[in-house]
Amino acid sequence: MAAPTFDDAAVRAHAADAERRVAAATDLDELDALDRELLGRGGQLVAWRRELGSLDEATRRELGRALTGAATSVGGAIAERREALARAAASRRLDEDRLLLDEVVDLAVVGPVERGHRHVVTTTRDELEDVFVALGFEVREGPEVETDWFNFEALNIPPGHPARGMHDTIYVEADVEGTVVLRTHTSPMQVRLMEAAAREGTLPLHVVVPGRVYRRDTPDASHLVEFHQIEGLVVDEGITFADLAGTIQAFTTAYFGEDIVARLRPSYFPFTEPSAEFDITCTICRGARCRTCGQTGWMELGGSGVIDPAVFAAVGIDPERWSGFAFGFGIDRCAFMRHQFSDLRALTESDVRFLRQF
Amino acid sequence: MRVPVSWLAEYVAIPDDLDELIATLDDLGLVVEGVERVGVGLEGVVVARVESIAPIEGADRIRLATVSDGEGAVEVVCGAWNYEVGSHVPLAPVGTVLPDGMQIARRKLRGVVSNGMLCSSRELGLGDDQSGLLVLEGAPAPGTPLTIALGIVPDTVLDLSIEGNRPDAHCVEGVARDLAARAGVAFAPVTPAPPLPSDGAAAAADEVTVEIDDPDLCGRFVATVLHGVVVGPSPAWLADRLTKCGMRPINNVVDASNYAMLELGQPTHAFDLDRLGGHGLRVRRARPGEHLALLDGTEVELAVGSGALGDTGEDLVVCDATDVPVGLAGIMGGADSEIGDATTSVVLEAAWFDAMAVARSAKRHGLRTEASVRFERGCDWTATTRASERVVELLALSIPTLTVTAGPVIAHGTVREPPVLHVDAADLRGRLGVDVGLDEAARLLGAIGFEVRRDPDALSVTPPAGRPDVRDAPFGVADVAEEVARLHGYSAIAPRVPHWPQPGGLAPLVRVRREVREALVGVGALEAWTATLVPLDDAVLVGDESERVRVTNPMAAHEPVLRSSLLPGLLRALRHNVERRQGDVALYEVGTVFTHHAVADEPRLERAGGGGDALLKVPAEHERVAVVLGRPGDDAVRAVATWRAIAAALRLADVRVVPGARDSAPLGVHPTRWATLLDVATGSVLGVVGEVAPEVAARAVPTLEAGRRLGWLDVDLLALGDPARATRRDEAASMPSRYPSSDVDLALVLDEAVHVDDVKRVLAEAAGEWCESVRCFDAYRGPGVPDGHRSLALRVRLCAPDRTLSEAALSEVRAAMIDAATTSLAATLR
């Protein structure tokens, strides 16, 4: 058995010196060189470790532990220093990158020559808004997160009502489970507008409300989870079903064209009575019957009806004096009908090849 | 709901033109969603008996069958293997055209001539089975037309969508009643004539007891007892109708019950009397922990609430006299008392159950049956006896030995007292806008079973028990008006475009949004629409650890939160395009972001809960305009220029771009290349401008070109539209001078902390009324400029309204500007 050429103290001293040098390294290149020198195959620690094989077991164990400890602490110091240097380098880069945005030189930026594009849902919505403004409607908006009161109950849809089930509601976490929803239609704004007008004495109301709505429905070519509706609401004196029919016809012709007409069919919504779905002449075949309209010549557009007296009661409007109608339909669907693209999901992909067409 | 036209024709004359019928039904609100022709094209198909089967040389999948078609032997090559000698099968002879349009011709296969085709259910349009031939039971005589052998009447089946407020139309009779009312012809409902109890027959009450423990949920329970029942197949015509309506024939007892339900809308249920403990029935709420094995082989645990809103956890059950549940009321019967081949005595239940109770249970247990669908909408409690009699009448057709006990047992619960609604001409005209006339209204309502009394100036209307949708006064008047409008025809109400004196218009915010969009489109940006529901990772991407707004039932499990920023969505949209080599693009979005009420500055409180009486904290919403600039050369400078386009479009007076501190950069934004947008007059922060942090850009768009900067602008739309936060320029315009202007250029060295806008302001004020504009055209750092300072090159344009400025005047102004800059900004002239 040979005698060791080093002892525990020597290992400690070597490690301490190495760590001092690591801490003093000022850049990553220097640190890499140190890493190689101290822990690499030519390093002192490795050289000492080679001796271990020839030592007696007790010494071998003692010095082996010392060497492992030294290698670990030096390695740790290098890693720590490397991280610090990388942080400093990143910080330096940010400093070099620094730009004071108040000094952006006036007229330095020449605008791009190419004009951008509004989204087709936006252009459709704007056009619909303009049609209704011309018919005498105000355009108003409301929140997307609603409570069960506005989205359902004030619209004559109490808890457990089958219509709630049909709405495929997405619920938002709340202090009381099941009371906060992503609005399933723009109709809650009917309640907000009527309540406010009744409270403030600002009836009549002639309003349309466009906005995003949500249904828990599997997305496919003709359904989206997030989509857009426009709601119409009129509360005035002497308003009847005939006014509803006339408004829908006027809108249809103004937006879709002279040869497109609307028809109303009996339907059921808890917040209108009588209720009607409205169809318009198929915009593809112009009523000649095609595959798109299921050989009927008609396309379903939306729902409507004369406001139910129970809704007036809930919002505090005197049904003896006031009457009204409401309607709602899909904005995306109007875009779909007019531009005849095959899959609604293209609307949400933001693919510039699609966006640039509108 | 599937309705065979032939069945309707038993009640009312049906027009030859199917389109006319469809149009009428649509107009009545019974929308035709599908039309199916059944049994058409089977005219040539006959029954054939297989006489022999022989292999064909060289073929192992087809054989030669010799069949008898009643006139002689026919050789047919056939690829099916599910028949044998003596089987009766359908034969389509040469020349037949099958329902799917297939034309049968004489063909030669492997040298053997085939003189027709033996058919499967699928080929005949009678079902989906194509695994083999339709092997006919009961050995019908060869040569019999298949339609006769199967009892198929060629027919058209309409698929009708029945609205929730038309429980009365959820049966053939109801649809026919509407058609008769529209046509103005008399309507004769089915009047069952069941066999009378034989003399001396026992009374039902002696054989079965009926108790209603919960009268609020069970309004009526009629139990009829039948003996001498022989369970077997139904008559072919009855089975055929059930099939056309989408129900599978099971046996004569079950089929009679189903047939009566399709016809009258009243479900009934048959129990095997001998398998019914204690020979009695009791209706009560289920107790928590009770179990019931159902007819469909499943077992349900009863009276355990699902926690869903409006679910009381209640189940209504029908029990036997030993209090063991034998049926889930109105939904499905239990397996233990099911009618079987050995059944000889039957208790027939015809009951009226509360609609909401059935709806709740059906939903909670996921059991949607033909019965539950009808009870949910509300049945007619007065129809229970008639439905029972109809089932007995139908059953007697296949069981000549059927004996009926005297007097069904009838138990009474609570039923609705029908309202009496006073409807006058003004009620109808005020709602409908047309004068239908009270006499006509009375006629229309009477035709669908409303009881109408003609008072001098009004009608007193009582809806039939089958119309629970017609409410009590005062709301019920609207329901009556709807019925009048529906039967009169919506298309018969002349449209009128209403007018009012108030002008229409856009809400201010809508106008602002349009202006912002136009400005962005003007600088070349494309509008994106990104999702509101986003992955949790979106927050991680920008390092956001604040509380998210979660949804409890996300459509996609990986998208459970509402977005808190438009940045991740726009980066995702950019990535979509970069990955398609079309990423040199500027994208913008105007959209709502959400803040959890726990971290919102001002929690939003809204009315919620029953009656809207509670006030609940809901997530705050903010609408933002965000732009990501990803074109070559885009950076924070371009983002500032983009902001200036918006500011100009909105005519904002003075919004300062205030460079932001490195350690307070918003999440996801480059820490040394960003600024806040500060409205000087109000001190409101309108948004943030700068670049996307490089590591965030690299994570979000992995294939982004190295070194590509992404400009970023994120503005509060509501603030932009609010004059109290975003100050608009005065609308008064100034007249430009007619005299030439002169420029004075200055290079000033200033501390970086001095804002360029302050320098401009100081110079403008020093220049006085002649100052037309101050522009900064260069910023310099380097030799000659101390650290922490910058040299700004500024051009002041001067112009007097009434003369050309002299050199002397210009020098004076120049001196004044230098003096002001030196004294108030510590600037030095360079």
Side-chain angles (χ1 to χ4, degrees):
Chain A
M1 288 290 151
T5 64
F6 64 101
D7 60 9
D8 191 58
V11 174
R12 284 174 196 280
H14 176 79
D17 179 56
E19 284 172 33
R20 263 193 304 282
R21 292 175 64 197
V22 166
T26 54
D27 64 41
L28 282 172
D29 289 345
E30 191 185 340
L31 188 67
D32 286 342
L34 267 176
D35 191 352
R36 279 192 299 277
E37 181 196 325
L38 296 169
L39 299 176
R41 295 210 289 183
Q44 182 65 65
L45 291 174
V46 174
W48 281 339
R49 184 167 290 279
R50 285 201 194 98
E51 281 182 37
L52 293 180
S54 60
L55 303 178
D56 67 75
E57 198 185 326
T59 318
R60 184 165 73 224
R61 197 173 298 149
E62 183 204 330
L63 291 179
R65 250 199 308 273
L67 286 174
T68 305
T72 309
S73 73
V74 172
I78 290 173
E80 203 175 289
R81 186 66 189 152
R82 177 166 285 130
E83 203 176 299
L85 287 175
R87 260 200 314 272
S91 171
R92 241 185 346 266
R93 269 199 303 277
L94 284 179
D95 280 337
E96 285 160 15
D97 224 10
R98 176 165 169 266
L99 179 64
L100 293 184
L101 293 181
D102 66 332
E103 69 189 34
V104 167
V105 171
D106 298 335
L107 304 180
V109 181
V110 178
V113 183
E114 199 184 350
R115 189 178 156 81
H117 297 264
R118 289 181 298 160
H119 197 279
V120 62
V121 171
T122 300
T123 54
T124 307
R125 177 186 150 156
D126 287 358
E127 262 189 77
L128 293 170
E129 286 174 357
D130 292 344
V131 166
F132 283 112
V133 166
L135 286 169
F137 286 78
E138 273 184 87
V139 179
R140 304 278 291 273
E141 296 173 291
E144 293 174 25
V145 174
E146 277 289 5
T147 64
D148 55 345
W149 166 254
F150 291 105
N151 198 75
F152 292 124
E153 192 163 338
L155 291 166
N156 209 20
I157 313 175
H161 193 286
R164 284 207 188 188
M166 291 189 305
H167 272 236
D168 305 314
T169 313
I170 297 178
Y171 289 93
V172 175
E173 269 185 346
D175 292 344
V176 185
E177 183 88 355
T179 52
V180 180
V181 303
L182 285 171
R183 64 176 172 190
T184 58
H185 48 182
T186 39
S187 307
M189 269 303 279
Q190 286 187 31
V191 180
R192 290 180 178 276
L193 291 165
M194 287 193 284
E195 276 189 341
R199 194 170 54 235
E200 291 153 20
T202 52
L203 287 169
L205 278 169
H206 321 99
V207 182
V208 289
V209 183
R212 190 174 288 192
V213 300
Y214 303 82
R215 296 274 175 100
R216 200 173 179 285
D217 200 354
T218 308
D220 60 29
S222 54
H223 292 90
L224 296 173
V225 174
E226 306 178 9
F227 57 104
H228 301 87
Q229 280 188 344
I230 188 163
E231 184 87 6
L233 172 69
V234 169
V235 180
D236 206 334
E237 287 165 318
I239 293 293
T240 68
F241 189 88
D243 298 302
L244 167 66
T247 302
I248 286 178
Q249 183 54 59
F251 145 73
T252 303
T253 306
Y255 181 75
F256 288 102
E258 287 292 336
D259 55 340
I260 303 291
V261 297
R263 71 164 184 185
L264 301 179
R265 295 186 272 108
S267 185
Y268 170 63
F269 305 106
F271 42 105
T272 49
E273 192 83 289
S275 302
E277 300 239 20
F278 57 98
D279 302 332
I280 61 165
T281 316
C282 175
T283 53
I284 309 287
C285 62
R286 305 269 145 179
R289 302 181 182 209
C290 66
R291 265 183 50 198
T292 308
C293 58
Q295 308 297 336
T296 62
W298 296 97
M299 282 175 131
E300 203 176 305
L301 191 57
S304 66
V306 178
I307 294 167
D308 195 290
V311 174
F312 274 162
V315 298
I317 287 181
D318 174 13
E320 293 299 313
R321 177 169 173 203
W322 304 99
S323 58
F325 64 76
F327 57 85
F329 55 91
I331 297 175
D332 322 81
R333 199 166 158 72
C334 284
F336 191 63
M337 283 180 180
R338 178 179 275 189
H339 300 287
Q340 301 169 21
F341 44 90
S342 59
D343 192 328
L344 275 180
R345 287 169 292 191
L347 293 173
T348 62
E349 272 174 358
S350 301
D351 191 301
V352 300
R353 290 167 295 181
F354 185 74
L355 299 180
R356 286 201 171 110
Q357 299 176 78
F358 303 102
Chain B
M1 181 177 69
R2 291 167 59 89
V3 179
V5 172
S6 66
W7 202 342
L8 290 175
E10 290 182 4
Y11 294 90
V12 284
I14 299 295
D16 290 336
D17 181 5
L18 186 63
D19 285 340
E20 193 184 324
L21 175 65
I22 291 171
T24 305
L25 288 167
D26 281 354
D27 197 48
L28 284 164
L30 308 167
V31 177
V32 180
E33 295 194 317
V35 176
E36 195 181 309
R37 289 187 166 77
V38 183
V40 176
L42 298 183
E43 294 80 1
V45 182
V46 296
V47 175
R49 184 178 183 281
V50 179
E51 304 296 346
S52 67
I53 305 171
I56 296 174
E57 202 177 314
D60 52 6
R61 299 228 178 107
I62 52 175
R63 297 181 293 180
L64 181 66
T66 304
V67 301
S68 135
D69 68 355
E71 291 177 5
V74 182
E75 288 189 339
V76 183
V77 176
C78 181
W81 292 81
N82 69 326
Y83 64 99
E84 53 203 35
V85 172
S87 292
H88 290 73
V89 294
L91 166 69
V94 172
T96 311
V97 180
L98 291 178
D100 63 0
M102 184 194 229
Q103 197 149 8
I104 306 301
R106 183 168 287 114
R107 289 197 302 160
K108 209 173 192 182
L109 292 136
R110 298 265 172 191
V112 181
V113 174
S114 180
N115 297 296
M117 187 170 97
L118 305 181
C119 307
S120 69
S121 292
R122 171 82 159 261
E123 285 155 348
L124 296 168
L126 295 175
D128 289 331
D129 191 357
Q130 53 175 344
S131 62
L133 301 185
L134 171 62
V135 177
L136 303 166
E137 287 172 14
T144 313
L146 182 70
T147 49
I148 291 175
L150 289 178
I152 298 171
V153 183
D155 208 342
T156 302
V157 180
L158 304 175
D159 192 5
L160 303 183
S161 163
I162 307 296
E163 296 290 350
N165 65 337
R166 294 299 312 285
D168 63 306
H170 221 280
C171 57
V172 176
E173 194 174 279
V175 173
R177 190 191 294 117
D178 263 20
L179 286 172
R182 172 58 65 86
V185 298
F187 176 74
V190 169
T191 45
L196 297 172
S198 41
D199 288 340
D206 296 336
E207 305 208 31
V208 69
T209 58
V210 178
E211 285 174 72
I212 299 175
D213 284 4
D214 289 307
D216 55 329
L217 300 186
C218 178
R220 183 81 19 134
F221 198 110
V222 176
T224 306
V225 178
L226 304 170
H227 293 296
V229 172
V230 182
V231 175
S234 290
W237 63 268
L238 194 154
D240 174 49
R241 283 227 164 127
L242 290 180
T243 308
K244 283 173 181 161
C245 291
M247 296 193 82
R248 195 166 52 89
I250 294 169
N251 60 48
N252 51 353
V253 181
V254 176
D255 293 351
S257 166
N258 285 338
Y259 188 95
M261 173 179 70
L262 294 172
E263 185 176 49
L264 308 176
Q266 170 65 46
T268 56
H269 182 73
F271 297 95
D272 184 331
L273 177 62
D274 297 323
R275 295 171 71 181
L276 210 54
H279 286 203
L281 293 166
R282 155 185 291 187
V283 188
R284 62 162 170 84
R285 284 178 167 85
R287 299 182 195 106
E290 281 185 311
H291 288 257
L292 173 60
L294 295 170
L295 274 176
D296 67 356
T298 61
E299 184 172 311
V300 287
E301 187 179 358
L302 301 168
V304 179
S306 66
L309 193 69
D311 180 13
T312 55
E314 281 178 346
D315 281 314
L316 188 67
V317 287
V318 178
C319 299
D320 65 15
T322 65
D323 210 29
V324 174
V326 292
L328 194 51
I331 301 172
M332 196 181 283
D336 292 344
S337 52
E338 186 180 0
I339 301 298
D341 292 343
T343 300
T344 57
S345 297
V346 161
V347 184
L348 182 71
E349 161 205 313
W352 183 93
F353 301 115
D354 178 65
M356 289 291 271
V358 173
R360 275 194 301 263
S361 288
K363 187 173 178 206
R364 179 158 9 89
H365 297 296
L367 292 167
R368 200 179 142 82
T369 62
E370 291 284 345
S372 76
V373 164
R374 285 169 174 82
F375 278 120
E376 272 180 43
R377 292 162 186 243
C379 282
D380 176 357
W381 61 266
T382 64
T384 46
T385 307
R386 191 160 73 106
S388 303
E389 290 173 358
R390 180 61 169 155
V391 176
V392 174
E393 180 187 25
L394 291 168
L395 204 47
L397 296 177
S398 59
I399 310 174
T401 57
L402 190 70
T403 56
V404 187
T405 52
V409 183
I410 302 179
H412 298 257
T414 316
V415 292
R416 180 190 183 208
E417 185 67 36
V420 180
L421 300 158
H422 299 282
V423 181
D424 62 24
D427 288 329
L428 296 177
R429 196 172 45 239
R431 194 152 277 277
L432 308 180
V434 65
D435 251 324
V436 178
L438 285 181
D439 289 331
E440 174 66 0
R443 182 190 72 78
L444 293 171
L445 291 167
I448 56 166
F450 284 60
E451 214 175 279
V452 185
R453 198 184 73 213
R454 182 76 164 85
D455 299 332
D457 300 315
L459 304 178
S460 291
V461 180
T462 305
R467 292 305 300 269
D469 59 297
V470 178
R471 293 163 291 177
D472 292 352
F475 303 151
V477 174
D479 302 327
V480 171
E482 175 175 66
E483 284 308 303
V484 172
R486 193 174 65 76
L487 295 168
H488 178 70
Y490 282 9
S491 51
I493 298 175
R496 183 187 85 154
V497 183
H499 296 284
W500 43 77
Q502 296 84 358
L506 301 175
L509 190 67
V510 176
R511 196 181 296 281
V512 166
R513 194 188 294 114
R514 287 191 181 192
E515 285 164 346
V516 169
R517 282 188 164 121
E518 275 310 305
L520 290 171
V521 166
V523 296
L526 298 180
E527 185 174 17
W529 160 8
T530 74
T532 304
L533 292 159
V534 297
L536 267 175
D537 293 351
D538 270 12
V540 177
L541 176 77
V542 295
D544 185 0
E545 286 165 4
S546 65
E547 195 158 2
R548 306 258 68 85
V549 181
R550 285 172 176 273
V551 301
T552 51
N553 58 341
M555 186 63 227
H558 62 282
E559 290 172 353
V561 295
L562 304 187
R563 63 183 173 190
S564 55
S565 161
L566 298 180
L567 177 59
L570 279 173
L571 289 178
R572 202 165 19 246
L574 181 65
R575 175 181 181 161
H576 173 96
N577 289 299
V578 167
E579 285 172 351
R580 284 158 184 78
R581 296 179 291 116
Q582 55 199 26
D584 292 347
V585 65
L587 293 171
Y588 78 93
E589 180 169 15
V590 184
T592 306
V593 300
F594 302 82
T595 315
H596 196 281
H597 64 73
V599 292
D601 296 337
E602 286 171 35
R604 183 180 146 208
L605 287 172
E606 293 285 1
R607 295 167 57 196
D613 293 335
L615 266 189
L616 201 70
K617 292 196 197 103
V618 302
E621 295 180 23
H622 298 282
E623 193 170 356
R624 306 207 55 105
V625 183
V627 191
V628 62
L629 304 172
R631 297 162 301 198
D634 275 341
D635 61 357
V637 172
R638 288 274 183 84
V640 171
T642 304
W643 160 249
R644 287 179 178 166
I646 293 176
L650 297 179
R651 307 182 62 257
L652 298 185
D654 188 6
V655 178
R656 186 167 285 201
V657 177
V658 182
R662 187 170 154 171
D663 52 5
S664 58
L667 295 167
V669 175
H670 193 306
T672 55
R673 296 168 80 86
W674 75 281
T676 50
L677 302 170
L678 182 78
D679 187 83
V680 174
T682 63
S684 304
V685 173
L686 306 181
V688 165
V689 64
E691 277 168 27
V692 178
E695 74 277 8
V696 171
R699 271 205 300 274
V701 193
T703 52
L704 193 68
E705 176 188 286
R708 176 69 69 98
R709 294 182 184 277
L710 298 179
W712 175 245
L713 176 65
D714 185 1
V715 189
D716 183 341
L717 185 77
L718 209 60
L720 283 188
D722 179 3
R725 282 189 278 173
T727 317
R728 299 290 181 108
R729 245 187 3 248
D730 194 348
E731 290 197 329
S734 64
M735 291 300 295
S737 169
R738 295 172 188 281
Y739 294 88
S741 60
S742 308
D743 288 349
V744 174
D745 287 358
L746 294 172
L748 298 172
V749 177
L750 293 135
D751 191 301
E752 280 182 348
V754 178
H755 196 280
V756 173
D757 289 0
D758 281 327
V759 183
K760 291 178 177 175
R761 180 179 50 78
V762 166
L763 296 183
E765 283 170 7
E769 57 174 345
W770 293 340
C771 179
E772 200 172 81
S773 66
V774 185
R775 294 208 317 255
C776 173
F777 63 92
D778 191 28
Y780 167 78
R781 286 176 187 77
V785 177
D787 270 0
H789 286 62
R790 57 185 168 185
S791 169
L792 300 176
L794 298 131
R795 176 163 296 166
V796 183
R797 179 157 291 187
L798 300 165
C799 191
D802 52 354
R803 64 196 152 104
T804 306
L805 288 171
S806 66
E807 281 302 321
L810 291 174
S811 310
E812 211 171 290
V813 172
R814 184 182 149 88
M817 290 194 295
I818 292 168
D819 184 49
T822 337
T823 49
S824 64
L825 300 172
T828 53
L829 194 63
R830 184 155 165 261

